[in-house]
Amino acid sequence: LELSRMEHHARLLAKAELRALQSQINPHFLFNALNTIISICRRDPEKARTLLVHLGEFFRKNLSTGRETVPLEQEIEHVKAYLAIEQARFGDRLKVVFDLESISGVMVPPLILQPLVENAVKHGIFPKREGGTVIIRAKSVDGGVELTVADDGVGFDEATIEEILYKEGPTDRIGLFNVNRRLENLYGPQSRLKITSKPMLGTAVRFFIPTAVSKWGEADGAYSTAGR
């Protein structure tokens, strides 16, 4: 009974933190996206229409998720909708590379990648005058899938990494804090964010999603306290 209560509490906490992420719709992102689309309307109406579709898809997926896990393909589409808008806004300063192995059938918590990509764009690439590249990678590893969001932006120091992962600090960093805590609550310590970064060289954020039953989780993404 105690284990069952602990598992139930972990699930409730994960859902609460997902709702917190969903509520953090950055008004500046919406304002900037609409301004970008307005500026494109006259010279390229078709592109403006496409961007409005991407914007609608972004907010629809951001607000409508009620499941504990979603297909990784769906999470990738959410990221692509976000990046399409940012690329229209910043042009050649933002390059994006998707390096994805076969991801069919992989289930992940919703809103698990987009906050990491937004952090790479906002805090890594945009402060760099010449811009840079964001890489989203998925590869099969023993027992699951490793997902990586990397950039060649301005980077940061070790103290900042500790603050991001373990302190509920500034609101513009709370997305990473919540993602890390959700992963740990769902899958255990094996899935904590692993961040490597060097000032002016870039940042890489990795995490592991188990796809096989283990003492920390189930194949469908449910966190189990068994064996803890």
Side-chain angles (χ1 to χ4, degrees):
L1 289 176
E2 181 62 26
L3 290 175
S4 177
R5 282 194 293 269
M6 290 172 65
E7 183 173 346
H8 180 63
H9 176 75
R11 288 176 180 271
L12 289 177
L13 182 59
K15 289 180 180 179
E17 287 169 345
L18 172 59
R19 287 194 294 270
L21 281 174
Q22 289 172 322
S23 69
Q24 292 168 28
I25 300 173
N26 191 330
H28 296 292
F29 170 72
L30 177 59
F31 177 78
N32 291 329
L34 290 174
N35 273 346
T36 298
I37 294 168
I38 289 169
S39 70
I40 292 173
C41 276
R42 287 189 177 181
R43 69 175 186 270
D44 194 341
E46 185 58 27
K47 183 175 182 180
R49 187 194 71 82
T50 300
L51 289 175
L52 283 173
V53 171
H54 284 307
L55 185 62
E57 281 295 300
F58 173 80
F59 279 101
R60 182 180 66 81
K61 291 174 181 176
N62 204 66
L63 294 172
S64 64
T65 300
R67 300 168 59 190
E68 286 190 7
T69 58
V70 297
L72 180 53
E73 295 95 330
Q74 180 176 318
E75 190 71 5
I76 293 294
E77 289 304 312
H78 187 212
V79 168
K80 287 181 177 180
Y82 166 78
L83 287 171
I85 296 164
E86 294 292 54
Q87 285 185 294
R89 180 182 169 202
F90 289 93
D92 293 339
R93 288 188 60 218
L94 175 60
K95 298 177 178 62
V96 178
V97 174
F98 286 92
D99 179 14
L100 308 173
E101 291 185 5
S102 176
I103 56 176
S104 178
V106 177
M107 304 296 287
V108 300
L111 290 181
I112 210 70
L113 272 179
Q114 191 274 331
L116 305 184
V117 174
E118 182 175 352
N119 183 75
V121 171
K122 184 177 179 180
H123 297 288
I125 300 303
F126 289 164
K128 195 174 177 180
R129 175 175 294 184
E130 66 272 29
T133 303
V134 174
I135 301 172
I136 296 95
R137 181 176 292 117
K139 69 174 183 178
S140 297
V141 295
D142 186 27
V145 175
E146 183 183 74
L147 298 170
T148 304
V149 177
D151 67 77
D152 58 0
V154 297
F156 43 83
D157 57 27
E158 289 291 331
T160 303
I161 294 176
E162 290 296 312
E163 182 176 330
I164 288 171
L165 292 180
Y166 303 114
K167 296 180 182 178
E168 196 164 3
T171 55
D172 64 346
R173 298 280 192 175
I174 197 172
L176 290 185
F177 176 86
N178 275 359
V179 165
N180 186 56
R181 193 157 65 177
R182 286 175 64 212
L183 285 168
E184 185 172 6
N185 285 335
L186 286 166
Y187 305 116
Q190 65 178 348
S191 293
R192 289 172 181 159
L193 294 181
K194 295 178 175 61
I195 303 178
T196 55
S197 185
K198 292 186 178 180
M200 304 314 299
L201 292 178
T203 302
V205 182
R206 298 178 177 85
F207 63 94
F208 171 75
I209 297 291
T211 55
V213 176
S214 72
K215 72 174 183 178
W216 289 111
E218 305 289 345
D220 66 357
Y223 172 56
S224 171
T225 55
R228 194 172 180 185

